[in-house]
Amino acid sequence: MNRILIVEDEIAISDLIKIELELRGYKCEIANDGEMGADILEAHNFDLILLDVMLPKIDGYELLEYIKQISETPIIFITAKSQMSEKIKGLNKGADDYITKPFEICELVARIEAVLRRYNKVNDIKVIDDVKVNIISRTVTKEEQNIYLTPKEFDLLVLLIQNKNFALYRETIFEKVWGEELEFETRTLDLHIQRLRKKLGWKDKIKTVYKIGYKLEV
Ligand code: CA
């Protein structure tokens, strides 16, 4: 189980992140200011730190410099500003990634997984019953047989797995998988879902959630 420290002074946000990440199998602790963050980090080890930039007592940049001296724990900056200068400053100082508020949890989870993967702290192979998904080689097998997925089908599958047992909005899925490439097109998404269900034999596992979207139920 990966342990994550959330350093964030807005309690509504830190609590929400903790609840959502723990539902997805992470173990989280919260520090509500920079000083508390430094104290907790001295006493405990974490696999990743989510670090808000604007913090009371010690701000995110100062804490980042401190963390870099005492550990090699990866850091994702949480910034309220979308200005490029803030992002660049964070990355220059050694953050591994950043996310801009407000963000969706599935976006945060994708970034956390990507960073943990870079540090070899997550398993690259996801197993759901008889289906094995290798995130690095982008290959899928079912009962040891290769299943050919298109790149979009693969991205869709990974998103569903990362958020298993959570309903995802159609618009959210579309944005994560297709990004800016296409206007939201519900039929494109529905077709890809149908193809995935068929190829994986997951008719019952990928549920349609009324008025919302889809959910991988496992
Ligand atoms: Ca803040």
Side-chain angles (χ1 to χ4, degrees):
M1 189 184 280
N2 289 118
R3 290 168 52 84
I4 296 181
L5 176 65
I6 304 159
V7 190
E8 163 66 78
D9 59 312
E10 282 165 79
I11 290 169
I13 295 179
S14 58
D15 285 356
L16 179 73
I17 295 175
K18 182 178 197 292
I19 290 166
E20 293 283 349
L21 290 182
E22 292 201 333
L23 285 169
R24 288 167 173 82
Y26 296 95
K27 181 85 191 75
C28 298
E29 279 197 53
I30 294 174
N32 288 123
D33 63 55
E35 205 174 280
M36 191 176 160
D39 287 344
I40 293 177
L41 279 163
E42 261 176 355
H44 304 278
N45 286 318
F46 292 89
D47 296 301
L48 187 138
I49 301 162
L50 295 175
L51 182 55
D52 185 26
V53 173
M54 304 296 279
L55 288 168
K57 296 185 185 171
I58 302 173
D59 79 16
Y61 296 123
E62 289 173 280
L63 186 58
L64 178 98
E65 281 180 10
Y66 174 74
I67 295 167
K68 286 285 154 194
Q69 286 166 27
I70 61 166
S71 82
E72 290 180 349
T73 310
I75 296 163
I76 297 179
F77 248 135
I78 302 173
T79 158
K81 302 166 185 172
S82 58
Q83 277 103 342
M84 209 31 101
S85 62
E86 293 290 318
K87 295 172 185 173
I88 291 168
K89 188 174 171 189
L91 294 174
N92 278 345
K93 285 181 177 287
D96 295 88
D97 202 355
Y98 59 83
I99 189 162
T100 306
K101 284 190 262 191
F103 51 80
E104 286 179 77
I105 289 294
C106 64
E107 170 86 35
L108 179 63
V109 170
R111 285 172 186 270
I112 288 172
E113 285 228 352
V115 170
L116 289 175
R117 200 172 302 129
R118 231 182 286 152
Y119 283 76
N120 291 319
K121 290 187 179 195
V122 281
N123 205 335
D124 296 329
I125 297 170
K126 308 272 179 197
V127 181
I128 308 273
D129 295 339
D130 53 2
V131 172
K132 278 188 197 146
V133 181
N134 187 318
I135 309 273
I136 299 294
S137 64
R138 294 179 65 92
T139 50
V140 182
T141 62
K142 183 181 171 72
E143 291 167 356
E144 312 293 323
Q145 300 291 310
N146 287 322
I147 305 285
Y148 174 74
L149 298 184
T150 66
K152 294 296 181 209
E153 287 166 356
F154 186 86
D155 292 343
L156 179 58
L157 175 62
V158 171
L159 183 69
L160 289 169
I161 290 174
Q162 282 175 342
N163 296 279
K164 60 177 188 268
N165 297 321
F166 288 90
L168 293 170
Y169 283 95
R170 284 165 180 278
E171 291 80 1
T172 303
I173 299 174
F174 198 83
E175 193 194 313
K176 299 300 168 220
V177 176
W178 280 269
E180 310 283 295
E181 291 168 40
L182 285 177
E183 283 287 294
F184 175 59
E185 174 50 271
T186 188
R187 283 179 52 201
T188 305
L189 173 59
D190 294 342
L191 177 68
H192 278 74
I193 291 280
Q194 281 170 30
R195 299 292 298 156
L196 262 190
R197 279 177 174 148
K198 188 166 177 228
K199 288 180 178 181
L200 298 172
W202 278 8
K203 261 198 190 73
D204 301 325
K205 278 202 173 65
I206 303 177
K207 304 268 188 209
T208 303
V209 184
Y210 181 63
K211 284 191 173 169
I212 295 184
Y214 294 103
K215 172 170 78 169
L216 174 61
E217 207 169 271
V218 292

